[in-house]
Amino acid sequence: MEAIINSTTIVLACGNITAETTDAIVNAANSRLAGGAGVDGAIHRAGGPSIMEECRRIGGCPTGQAVITTGGNLQAKYVIHTVGPVYRSGTGNEAKLLQSAYRESLKLALKNNLQSISFPAISTGIYGYPISEAAHLALKTCIEFSRENTGISLIRHILFDRRTYELFSGEFKSLLGSATPGKK
Ligand code: AR6
């Protein structure tokens, strides 16, 4: 499904993010930028060793922040590495940090004049964030950013399995249906 917000089209799709042809894909990395399993492992495998060399030079990335490397062998020209929070009780800073991971990635794309970007469902795998809550925060952040900024024409959310796709779709519909999604 998709919706147009201001000058940005936001798309939800099922798939493998390493096949995306957007200007950048986002990696759900760890704060050492050391590589790992999940989408991080898939991106480094598909993109080749040059991405890790750049990550080593950068050295790390605090939770909720984002850094950029080139895309190596990927079709996407860039990889934006962001670090989502590890979900513990949900009573800490998790929601703020997850929103920050999305917002900082979008800001970095804008700063580098990128027009299209693809996100995985950050923190919802190994980091254990409940998917519906993560979907709500991810989509709310992207909708707000699209209302406040022009320049990014396409934001794609690439969901790895059908269940995640359905949960994201449900949250997207309810956010689009409410008059003030920013306030929800
Ligand atoms: N394309 C799209 N989505 C994917 C792909 C793929 N190829 N592979 C997995 N996913 P996770 P996190 C989905 O665990 O929770 C790493 O070790 C997956 O189904 O990749 O932020 C890092 O180094 C899930 O919905 O990231 C960190 O240490 C989503 O991507 C840690 O895991 C995120 O799952 C980060 O954990």
Side-chain angles (χ1 to χ4, degrees):
M1 71 174 290
E2 64 180 68
I4 299 172
I5 311 287
N6 197 8
S7 61
T8 307
T9 303
I10 300 179
V11 177
L12 309 190
C14 244
N16 182 340
I17 204 165
T18 62
E20 287 292 292
T21 57
T22 42
D23 292 338
I25 63 172
V26 175
N27 182 18
N30 53 65
S31 56
R32 290 176 300 127
L33 300 177
V39 72
D40 196 359
I43 288 173
H44 282 289
R45 271 196 303 282
S50 67
I51 300 176
M52 185 51 78
E53 278 162 33
E54 288 182 60
C55 283
R56 269 194 216 105
R57 252 176 270 137
I58 295 167
C61 176
T63 304
Q65 298 297 307
V67 300
I68 190 166
T69 67
T70 56
N73 302 328
L74 295 166
Q75 298 207 59
K77 288 191 262 329
Y78 298 93
V79 177
I80 292 176
H81 306 260
T82 191
V83 184
V86 176
Y87 188 85
R88 294 204 166 88
S89 59
T91 54
N93 242 351
E94 288 103 323
K96 278 207 174 80
L97 288 169
L98 186 61
Q99 286 180 279
S100 174
Y102 280 92
R103 199 176 307 108
E104 292 302 317
S105 298
L106 290 165
K107 277 163 65 180
L108 197 51
L110 207 52
K111 198 173 147 196
N112 285 276
N113 295 314
L114 309 186
Q115 288 179 8
S116 56
I117 181 168
S118 301
F119 283 99
I122 298 164
S123 283
T124 64
I126 292 160
Y127 282 180
Y129 216 112
I131 296 173
S132 291
E133 282 175 55
H136 179 82
L137 295 167
L139 294 167
K140 184 170 106 123
T141 305
C142 290
I143 290 169
E144 282 172 5
F145 190 89
S146 302
R147 291 209 169 113
E148 290 160 10
N149 299 275
T150 54
I152 297 182
S153 56
L154 177 62
I155 301 173
R156 287 170 58 77
H157 293 270
I158 305 303
L159 296 326
F160 205 41
D161 55 68
R162 200 72 213 168
R163 177 167 171 261
T164 306
Y165 175 81
E166 298 299 343
L167 291 170
F168 265 71
S169 297
E171 289 298 330
F172 202 25
K173 281 179 198 142
S174 66
L175 280 166
L176 293 171
S178 67
T180 53
K183 303 275 188 315
K184 261 193 98 176

